[in-house]
Amino acid sequence: MKFEKDITVKNIKKIYDEIVKEFEKNDELIIDLTDVKRIDLSFAQLILAVGKKARELKKVIRVKGVSSELKLLFRLSGLKV
Amino acid sequence: MGDSGIAEIFMNESREIIGNLESDIVSLEERSDDEELVNGIFRYFHTLKGSSGIAGFNTIYEFTHDLENLFDKVRSGEIGVCAELTDLLLSSLDWIKSEIFDEEVDENSSRIREDLTVRLKSYMGTSSVTQKKGEELPEQRVHYSGTETEKFFRITAKFREDIFTFGIDPLMILEDLSLLGEIEINKVNKSSLPDLFDMDPHNCYLTWDIILKTEHDFEKVRDVFIFVSDDNDIAIEDVTSEHSPEVPGDGTYKTEKKLGEILVDQGVIRSEDLEEIVKLQENRNEKIGDIVVKKGLASTKQVHDALQEQDRIKKKVEVSTVRVDSGKLDNLMNLLGEIVIGQAALHRIADEMEEQRAFSFKNALYSLDRVTREFQEQIMSIRMIPIGPTFEQFKRFIRDTAHNLGKDIKLKIEGADTELDKTVIEKIGDPLKHMIRNSIDHGIEPSDERVKKGKPESGTLTLKAYHQEGNVYIDIVDDGRGVNLSKVREKAIAKGLISPDESSSREKLLSILFNPGFSTAEQVGDLSGRGVGMDVVKTNIEELRGAIEIKTNEGEGTLVRIKLPLTLAIIEGMLIGIGNSILIIPLLSVTETIQIKKDDYKTVEGKGELILVRGEYVSLIRLGELFGLEAACEDPWDALIVIVESDGKRVGLMIDELIGQQQVVIKSIENHITLSRALSGATILGDGRVALIIDIHGLVEEIRK
């Protein structure tokens, strides 16, 4: 799954629906953030939740293309990146 | 965009902030080493960012975030101030202004923003600590060259679940926090995060427990949370003592004011004792308070009180000002007006009472009058705001306008603390701008012309405000060409305003400048010269019960003087009777009330009726005739004459009787009731009757016509 531009609370519902749909269909999910400029806490929480669920269901979630800006934001949200 | 009420507050607040920013950024060009100014600008950007987030103006939030970061580098000395930076900051403010205030959506807005963001980023790229894509995390931190020692703060933050609906992203706040120093420990509690399939992605579920290492003080850390501290669980604690090995156990040691110092200030212990106690503390690793009590220098209560005082100092918040909707102030003033009217009614009732009871009743009323008057003064003082910010907002305008015309103009501001009623301030901006534009466009010469004339290369425009005789004066002074009176005369003759054989005084010629459509400019420029405006300026000022005059010396400069009343709401009025009607004359305009002898009266052709007052003939105005009222007195020597003064000109107003004086609340009368400039409004008297208030300035003008 590849996302672009900003992922914030404004479009989080759409992103949430897309991720949940793909998550249910696949055992391995790659979320590509190479073209994502900015995220807010709503997206970081979603990644936390999907990671937790993946561990429970023994699925694999990979997040790639995380810029240094996003790394800081993920780290502040309690994600290990 | 967020809630409309919040948005409205934001718009009002941002108007003020942007105005201040424009002025300060222009000032920064000349005072780049002024630390206070630099910090002030940074704070304004920070506030603008925070409040735009709260109000839901997300694009502005993100944009001002970049601006704040850029200016932070200015603050830390990494980026120097130059004209290019000033232009960039001002252009950025222009975009913010259009985004907030323009009603029509500018289709280029996104492009302009992107261009500006590129410029901002590239400007920041010149800094040595710029974060580039791909750099590792530690390099993203900006370290400040603060002079304070390192501190540690523990911050626990639990944001409300619906925080996103307020346009606030907790991550942005934490990112700001990380810019203050280094986040040593970041424990994020995820226990409230629901199952993926049950979560509402619009809610905030995480809580934080952070240890921040920083060189900044408590206030600075607290400021990061300024917009969320009221309705979210945010706790900030100075835990320096727990993290800094060189500081002994007493947590109070590194706060703003030490416990020992407070005890000395309170006279509980002597400073010599304190030195000894500090030494003891270093050896024993005990708390100061314990040592003081053990040594019998202070009681437990005294230490407890000092600790409370220390806590108070630590928690001191800026509560000295409260932002109030100006509409509430207007309502308060209106209500006070009703009280004044009610009191007048009570006085009237007292007049009709039997003597003994009237005496006690009036005594009680006089006390009430005193309180009401004080109440009024307090409300008036709340409504009074300094003219400084209004002057300051012209800095940018003058800079840009002068640059456009290739002129070099310095602005001088005097009397910025002079206070005026807020309504007057709100309405004076446009007329002032017009006069300033005229000075820049027509008055001040280009540098080469000035040098040829032996003047300094830079022109000076002075904005000056001061109080005098119950009025506020605003002078707009330039050291430019001055008004060419012969040219004014030529144009006036050409327009048929004066006849060629008429010898007109300086005053008369200058007053022609206020005629609609009159301009001496040879070319119509972008700025002025269309002859539209001076008459509007005059009308606007007169609507504020003010007056405007021009003084000029050709080749030396021009002074435009605006005279304004201190307030528009309540005045001291003299109640006068004409027949059965009551009129009100503003007491400030009254110089004396006299009775004349028959010999002191004469009529002069072309000048009308004149009376002799202290050796000088002044015009006599029969108020009854002027307002179509049936007067009781026919002859001036049987009547009373109130001498009033306007713009240095005295006139006598013929009245039947003097009723008294009282505070009157000015109620506006719309144009459909009267077009007479001789009336400024009406008031309601104690008996419920309406009395018209005479505008002396307008009356004199009307008579002149």
Side-chain angles (χ1 to χ4, degrees):
Chain A
M1 298 187 77
K2 197 169 188 333
F3 297 104
E4 57 180 19
K5 292 182 181 170
D6 296 353
I7 307 179
T8 67
V9 73
K10 279 184 194 165
N11 55 1
I12 194 66
K13 183 69 173 77
K14 187 171 159 278
I15 304 280
Y16 170 82
D17 290 343
E18 281 177 36
I19 288 181
V20 167
K21 196 173 144 196
E22 289 299 311
F23 181 81
E24 284 177 324
K25 278 199 301 192
N26 304 296
D27 284 340
E28 185 175 345
L29 188 62
I30 297 172
I31 297 171
D32 186 350
L33 302 178
T34 310
D35 296 328
V36 172
K37 279 159 68 182
R38 175 92 204 165
I39 61 157
D40 70 6
L41 182 67
S42 65
F43 183 67
Q45 286 185 146
L46 175 56
I47 296 297
L48 279 169
V50 80
K52 195 174 152 197
K53 197 71 193 168
R55 279 194 299 278
E56 271 175 43
L57 302 177
K58 306 241 179 329
K59 292 191 176 194
V60 177
I61 297 291
R62 289 184 210 285
V63 181
K64 70 170 203 176
V66 182
S67 67
S68 55
E69 285 96 335
L70 297 193
K71 269 185 191 169
L72 172 66
L73 296 173
F74 277 132
R75 224 179 79 163
L76 289 170
S77 315
L79 264 159
K80 289 182 187 120
V81 282
Chain B
M1 204 173 288
D3 175 74
S4 66
I6 296 174
E8 200 179 314
I9 294 170
F10 167 67
M11 285 169 84
N12 286 334
E13 191 187 62
S14 56
R15 199 184 301 275
E16 192 180 316
I17 293 173
I18 292 169
N20 292 338
L21 270 172
E22 283 188 332
S23 157
D24 286 358
I25 288 168
V26 174
S27 301
L28 193 67
E29 270 191 320
E30 290 173 5
R31 290 155 42 207
S32 58
D33 53 350
D34 186 334
E35 210 173 305
E36 204 174 313
L37 186 66
V38 172
N39 286 333
I41 294 173
F42 180 78
R43 276 198 299 274
Y44 282 135
F45 277 131
H46 183 70
T47 310
L48 195 59
K49 184 186 80 170
S51 41
S52 59
I54 290 172
F57 287 78
N58 293 337
T59 47
I60 297 175
Y61 181 93
E62 285 159 17
F63 187 68
T64 42
H65 186 67
D66 289 338
L67 276 169
E68 187 190 13
N69 286 345
L70 169 68
F71 208 78
D72 202 23
K73 289 180 190 297
V74 176
R75 196 165 67 142
S76 63
E78 290 171 51
I79 293 179
V81 178
C82 62
E84 193 193 343
L85 176 73
T86 310
D87 287 339
L88 176 58
L89 293 172
L90 291 176
S91 305
S92 300
L93 287 180
D94 285 341
W95 179 81
I96 295 173
K97 271 197 290 190
S98 69
E99 197 67 6
I100 302 174
F101 304 115
D102 284 1
E103 283 176 12
E104 283 176 25
V105 179
D106 181 357
E107 54 190 26
N108 294 321
S109 174
S110 307
R111 190 187 49 74
I112 296 170
R113 183 201 163 191
E114 276 167 25
D115 287 352
L116 286 166
T117 306
V118 169
R119 284 170 67 193
L120 288 170
K121 300 261 185 201
S122 114
Y123 218 98
M124 279 193 271
T126 59
S127 148
S128 58
V129 290
T130 310
Q131 89 191 32
K132 296 189 184 87
K133 221 166 180 154
E135 277 180 347
E136 290 308 309
L137 283 173
E139 287 168 303
Q140 290 183 314
R141 301 197 191 291
V142 178
H143 290 275
Y144 293 86
S145 51
T147 52
E148 292 173 46
T149 52
E150 212 162 63
K151 294 187 185 73
F152 289 82
F153 292 97
R154 180 179 180 182
I155 298 121
T156 51
K158 185 183 179 192
F159 297 95
R160 48 190 295 168
E161 204 173 77
D162 59 351
I163 188 143
F164 290 115
T165 59
F166 295 90
I168 296 169
D169 172 19
L171 264 191
M172 277 257 197
I173 295 171
L174 297 175
E175 201 184 358
D176 282 349
L177 187 72
S178 73
L179 289 172
L180 289 186
E182 198 173 328
I183 292 183
E184 292 251 309
I185 300 168
N186 181 28
K187 285 187 202 156
V188 183
N189 185 344
K190 301 158 201 154
S191 59
S192 302
L193 189 68
D195 185 87
L196 173 68
F197 302 118
D198 299 330
M199 77 182 289
D200 178 348
H202 297 106
N203 285 350
C204 170
Y205 298 109
L206 307 182
T207 58
W208 285 262
D209 189 348
I210 292 168
I211 300 291
L212 173 77
K213 184 165 91 176
T214 177
E215 289 174 341
H216 292 277
D217 57 16
F218 178 85
E219 280 70 25
K220 187 77 196 168
V221 179
R222 188 197 57 196
D223 282 353
V224 171
F225 297 92
I226 197 161
F227 299 105
V228 291
S229 56
D230 282 350
D231 43 9
N232 293 276
D233 289 339
I234 311 292
I236 304 164
E237 193 188 350
D238 186 339
V239 289
T240 308
S241 59
E242 294 167 23
H243 289 79
S244 180
E246 63 277 359
V247 179
D250 185 355
T252 61
Y253 199 75
K254 281 210 159 188
T255 51
E256 291 284 320
K257 194 136 193 176
K258 295 164 192 163
L259 179 66
E261 288 171 356
I262 296 172
L263 287 167
V264 171
D265 286 351
Q266 291 178 340
V268 177
I269 59 171
R270 295 174 306 162
S271 47
E272 303 93 88
D273 296 334
L274 181 61
E275 284 170 26
E276 195 188 325
I277 292 161
V278 170
K279 275 181 199 158
L280 274 175
Q281 189 201 25
E282 282 164 7
N283 297 330
R284 291 191 200 169
N285 200 11
E286 269 185 277
K287 290 185 178 178
I288 288 255
D290 292 344
I291 300 172
V292 171
V293 174
K294 272 185 195 166
K295 281 181 73 77
L297 293 168
S299 67
T300 316
K301 189 186 175 303
Q302 282 171 320
V303 172
H304 178 73
D305 290 348
L307 280 169
Q308 276 193 331
E309 168 71 2
Q310 187 185 42
D311 204 32
R312 194 187 61 75
I313 294 168
K314 209 158 103 182
K315 287 179 183 164
K316 198 170 93 183
V317 285
E318 289 171 11
V319 289
S320 55
T321 56
V322 179
R323 189 175 281 270
V324 182
D325 179 358
S326 60
K328 285 186 181 169
L329 274 186
D330 292 338
N331 282 343
L332 204 56
M333 199 65 197
N334 285 338
L335 286 173
L336 179 68
E338 298 304 321
I339 293 175
V340 171
I341 291 166
Q343 272 176 275
L346 290 176
H347 276 286
R348 181 132 194 123
I349 292 166
D351 288 339
E352 288 162 6
M353 287 165 92
E354 128 330 270
E355 200 176 335
Q356 186 62 33
R357 292 194 66 194
F359 179 75
S360 351
F361 190 55
K362 278 191 173 175
N363 266 349
L365 265 181
Y366 289 139
S367 311
L368 185 61
D369 284 350
R370 272 198 303 279
V371 178
T372 317
R373 199 172 288 263
E374 202 174 314
F375 186 26
Q376 183 208 329
E377 278 165 14
Q378 288 298 321
I379 297 179
M380 298 302 292
S381 71
I382 297 172
R383 291 173 58 93
M384 300 296 269
I385 49 176
I387 188 119
T390 309
F391 281 172
E392 291 282 334
Q393 74 182 17
F394 291 120
K395 271 189 181 166
R396 160 113 198 247
F397 174 71
I398 292 166
R399 175 190 187 267
D400 289 354
T401 314
H403 278 198
N404 287 343
L405 293 168
K407 295 184 179 181
D408 185 8
I409 298 173
K410 287 195 166 33
L411 172 67
K412 222 168 113 185
I413 290 175
E414 291 176 26
D417 294 337
T418 310
E419 291 187 326
L420 267 115
D421 189 286
K422 76 168 190 64
T423 316
V424 180
I425 295 239
E426 279 162 10
K427 291 184 177 168
I428 199 66
D430 285 345
L432 272 181
K433 193 172 185 176
H434 193 92
M435 305 311 304
I436 291 169
R437 190 159 46 197
N438 269 349
S439 280
I440 300 173
D441 200 12
H442 304 309
I444 297 176
E445 313 90 333
S447 298
D448 49 350
E449 192 182 324
R450 291 179 64 85
V451 173
K452 274 184 206 159
K453 287 179 179 172
K455 288 182 169 183
E457 205 173 327
S458 307
T460 304
L461 183 68
T462 307
L463 296 177
K464 180 180 172 185
Y466 52 98
H467 283 150
Q468 197 174 296
E469 295 151 5
N471 289 298
V472 178
Y473 288 83
I474 299 172
D475 290 351
I476 303 128
V477 193
D478 70 59
D479 63 350
R481 301 184 180 101
V483 179
N484 184 337
L485 288 174
S486 3
K487 207 185 254 181
V488 174
R489 191 178 151 75
E490 272 171 36
K491 292 256 174 175
I493 292 168
K495 281 185 171 279
L497 296 168
I498 53 172
S499 62
D501 47 352
E502 188 181 330
S503 64
S504 307
S505 66
R506 272 177 87 78
E507 287 70 30
K508 167 87 180 167
L509 288 172
L510 287 171
S511 71
I512 288 174
L513 293 175
F514 294 108
N515 274 32
F518 189 87
S519 172
T520 58
E522 289 177 0
Q523 279 185 317
V524 172
D526 284 342
L527 295 172
S528 46
R530 290 178 171 83
V532 178
M534 286 297 273
D535 59 319
V536 179
V537 166
K538 189 164 192 256
T539 311
N540 285 351
I541 287 167
E542 284 172 356
E543 273 171 11
L544 294 170
R545 292 195 287 117
I548 182 166
E549 65 168 332
I550 299 180
K551 290 176 189 287
T552 188
N553 275 333
E554 212 177 328
E556 289 176 23
T558 304
L559 177 151
V560 180
R561 178 163 291 161
I562 297 170
K563 178 182 163 189
L564 295 161
L566 271 177
T567 175
L568 301 176
I570 294 185
I571 56 162
E572 251 343 290
M574 177 187 266
L575 276 65
I576 53 128
I578 296 170
N580 293 323
S581 303
I582 296 176
L583 292 170
I584 288 159
I585 303 174
L587 206 60
L588 267 177
S589 307
V590 177
T591 53
E592 60 184 320
T593 305
I594 56 169
Q595 274 189 304
I596 56 159
K597 294 181 204 143
K598 199 173 177 180
D599 296 346
D600 295 337
Y601 169 84
K602 67 174 180 179
T603 53
V604 175
E605 203 180 325
K607 289 196 171 177
E609 295 177 289
L610 299 175
I611 51 168
L612 187 64
V613 182
R614 302 184 191 281
E616 188 193 345
Y617 277 101
V618 300
S619 297
L620 179 74
I621 297 163
R622 292 174 184 257
L623 280 185
E625 265 179 34
L626 187 74
F627 294 120
L629 305 170
E630 203 172 310
C633 301
E634 278 283 318
D635 299 313
W637 47 92
D638 291 334
L640 279 173
I641 314 284
V642 180
I643 308 295
V644 291
E645 192 173 324
S646 169
D647 291 340
K649 185 174 168 58
R650 290 193 300 164
V651 293
L653 306 179
M654 184 172 142
I655 63 167
D656 287 343
E657 60 172 330
L658 206 56
I659 297 169
Q661 80 181 56
Q662 70 174 61
Q663 284 189 311
V664 293
V665 183
I666 305 175
K667 304 271 182 189
S668 71
I669 42 176
E670 302 299 332
N671 284 348
H672 59 262
I673 297 174
T674 174
L675 285 171
S676 171
R677 289 181 54 205
L679 293 173
S680 62
T683 193
I684 302 167
L685 298 174
D687 58 2
R689 280 197 292 172
V690 172
L692 296 171
I693 302 166
I694 299 172
D695 178 342
I696 297 299
H697 180 76
L699 182 140
V700 172
E701 287 286 300
E702 196 112 302
I703 300 298
R704 272 185 193 160
K705 280 185 183 172

